[in-house]
Each structure stands twice: as C-alpha cells, then as structure tokens.
Amino acid sequence: MSGLNASLGYFVSAAIFAAVVRTLLKKWPRLSFMLEFASSFMLVACLLEVQTIVEVGEWAGGLGPDVTLTVRFVVLLTHGIICGSASGNPTLVVLKFLQREATTLPTLLAVAAQFLGAHLALLVALYYWSLELTDMHMIKNLMTSECSSSLLVSLVQGFFTECVCTLIFHLVLLNLRRRSALIRVPLIAVLLTFLSHTARGYTSAYISPSLSYGLTFHCPGFTFTEYAVVYWLGSLTGMILALFLYMGHIPRIFSKNLLYSQKTRQKTRVPNGDKAEKKKQ
C-alpha cells in the first residue's frame, strides 16, 4: 500500500496545482487560456502515474485491474470537478472553434497551452519517478527509457480505434452539453474509463492529442509522424465526424445542413416545455 500512498500524494499535488491556477486566473479573464494549461498538466501528470500503476503495480505491487480502473475513474472524475469547462483536450477546443463558439486566436492559445502543460507534466513525472520513493517507482524509473508504447496494433487499426472512440465520446458529450455538471461529469468519467479499458489492447483510447503526446509519444516503437497519424489525426477525424452527425454540417466550414431537414432539427432541438406551450397556443 505504500506505493498507492505515494501515488495519492502525487495525485493530490497535481490537483492542488490545477485548483490554485484556476483560482488565481479568475482575476485575469484575458489569461483564461492558461486554465487549459493547468487542466492538461493535471490530466497528463495523473494519468502518467495511473499508467505506472497499470504497467508495474499490477505485477510488482499486487494491484488488480479493479484497483487500476477505480483509480483511473477517480482521477477523471476529480479532473472534471476541479477543471470544469477547461478540458485539457485539444479536440474539444477545436470543436468549439468549428461550432463558431470561439475565435482563432483563443483557440490557438488554448491548444498551445494544452501541449505545454502536457510536456511539463511529463518532465515532472520523470523527476518524480527518479526519486524512487517506492519499489514501483524504482522499477518505473529503470523502464523509462524503454517504455512500452500504448499503440499495440497497425497504424490503420490504431487510426480506426482512436477515430471510433473519439466519435463515440464526442457524440455523447454533445448530447450531454445541456445537462448539469452533477450528471455530465460522472457520466463522462465513466465513459472515458470504459473506452480506455475496452481499447487497452489497441491504443488505450486517449481521445486527446495532448494526452497522447504526454503518455506515449516518448516511447520507442513508432516514429513521431506515425504516432501523430493515429492519435492526432484519428482523434480530430472522430471529432469532426461526431459534429457532422450531430448537427448535419460543420458551421465553421458551411452552413447548409446536409443530413437533417429543418423540421427534423426543430423536433430534435425543441425542449419538451416549448412543445407543450405550442400545443396550448
């Protein structure tokens, strides 16, 4: 249990950092894109440690899959609660841009901040492992230069896996947008945990370009370009397909709806309360 105690302290430290940054930046709205930096840092830093527990803890520390799944779920749930609308996920930022909910400069700044946060999280994790506070971290430190890639299939299969998982995630998220955070955050945490567990023998379904950059791009086995095709292009393709299926078009590119008629869109978008009022009238 000493390994889990050390990991818990690490998780708490990353969460406190993200919470402090979020609190401080409330005074400077113009620097709101830095919220994405803190969100990405927390997510990548914590999931790097979860990856350590999966790779080392399950066979060296006697931790079963139930423990690792629970830890992953708690990390994702805590991240959603602390970071709120700052997802740390470039595909969600680009999604808002394609929906005309964000302009070009804030989008570019947010994406850059996310990758910067992911890179810093990787550096912090490497230093943390080098301290070798537990046997698990000592083994992980020895394995760092020869880490195993999360991409366990061909590029075509990997691209398809990331694309499909991202498509499912964004379709669910788009349909939950108007739900309260109390409902949305736990459901998203459950979905992400499920997708990651289901795709663990393929790509681990990171669904986030910055997260995949922090977790697997530094591992040997594939080139940077090959990783980018699977984890970046695959995720972006899945997100664009999800938006197209949800809205019938891409608002930033063209306004004409190619899938749904105006009547169908009204039926699927009008709330039940508005329908009742129309019937009374």
Side-chain angles (χ1 to χ4, degrees):
M1 292 298 293
S2 60
L4 280 180
N5 290 334
S7 297
L8 178 61
Y10 177 79
F11 292 144
V12 171
S13 299
I16 290 175
F17 173 78
V20 169
V21 171
R22 182 179 183 182
T23 302
L24 292 176
L25 289 181
K26 286 182 178 180
K27 301 178 181 179
W28 298 287
R30 292 183 179 180
L31 298 178
S32 59
F33 66 90
M34 290 301 294
L35 291 173
E36 294 292 345
F37 166 82
S39 177
S40 180
F41 174 86
M42 177 186 172
L43 186 62
V44 175
C46 290
L47 289 184
L48 277 168
E49 185 65 4
V50 172
Q51 190 178 62
T52 300
I53 296 174
V54 172
E55 293 178 350
V56 182
E58 287 191 359
W59 63 269
L63 304 176
D66 55 333
V67 175
T68 57
L69 281 175
T70 301
V71 172
R72 180 181 291 274
F73 169 75
V74 172
V75 164
L76 292 172
L77 180 62
T78 304
H79 176 265
I81 294 172
I82 292 177
C83 297
S85 59
S87 62
N89 186 341
T91 61
L92 290 176
V93 175
V94 176
L95 177 67
K96 291 182 179 180
F97 174 76
L98 293 178
Q99 290 181 294
R100 294 184 178 274
E101 295 178 3
T103 55
T104 303
L105 183 58
T107 299
L108 292 176
L109 289 174
V111 171
Q114 289 168 341
F115 277 99
L116 181 61
H119 187 71
L120 180 62
L122 177 58
L123 296 178
V124 169
L126 291 173
Y127 173 75
Y128 170 65
W129 295 331
S130 70
L131 298 177
E132 299 184 355
L133 300 178
T134 66
D135 292 340
M136 180 176 68
H137 295 115
M138 179 182 68
I139 297 172
K140 179 61 178 179
N141 188 44
L142 295 173
M143 296 170 54
T144 300
S145 59
E146 299 181 359
C147 60
S148 58
S149 171
S150 298
L151 180 55
L152 304 176
V153 292
S154 67
L155 294 183
V156 175
Q157 290 175 307
F159 175 88
F160 180 77
T161 301
E162 280 297 306
C163 181
V164 170
C165 289
T166 305
L167 171 65
I168 294 171
F169 169 73
H170 280 88
L171 280 176
V172 173
L173 187 65
L174 285 167
N175 282 281
L176 290 176
R177 292 182 70 179
R178 297 180 182 178
R179 300 284 184 177
S180 67
L182 291 175
I183 298 175
R184 186 177 65 255
V185 172
L187 287 178
I188 292 301
V190 170
L191 177 61
L192 287 172
T193 303
F194 171 76
L195 290 175
S196 176
H197 180 70
T198 303
R200 67 189 184 282
Y202 299 89
T203 63
S204 293
Y206 291 135
I207 305 177
S208 167
S210 58
L211 178 61
S212 60
Y213 169 78
L215 264 63
T216 201
F217 270 52
H218 62 287
C219 295
F222 295 90
T223 65
F224 185 95
T225 302
E226 290 172 332
Y227 279 129
V229 167
V230 172
Y231 290 107
W232 293 0
L233 186 59
S235 295
L236 288 173
T237 302
M239 177 273 292
I240 292 172
L241 286 175
L243 178 60
F244 182 74
L245 291 175
Y246 179 77
M247 299 191 69
H249 68 117
I250 308 297
R252 178 67 64 176
I253 301 175
F254 48 85
S255 58
K256 183 179 180 180
N257 197 298
L258 302 177
L259 292 183
Y260 311 116
S261 64
Q262 190 65 25
K263 292 182 179 180
T264 303
R265 292 180 66 194
Q266 289 176 351
K267 288 181 180 179
T268 57
R269 296 291 184 267
V270 174
N272 292 331
D274 293 345
K275 289 181 180 179
E277 290 180 3
K278 287 184 178 181
K279 288 182 180 179
K280 291 181 181 178
Q281 292 175 354

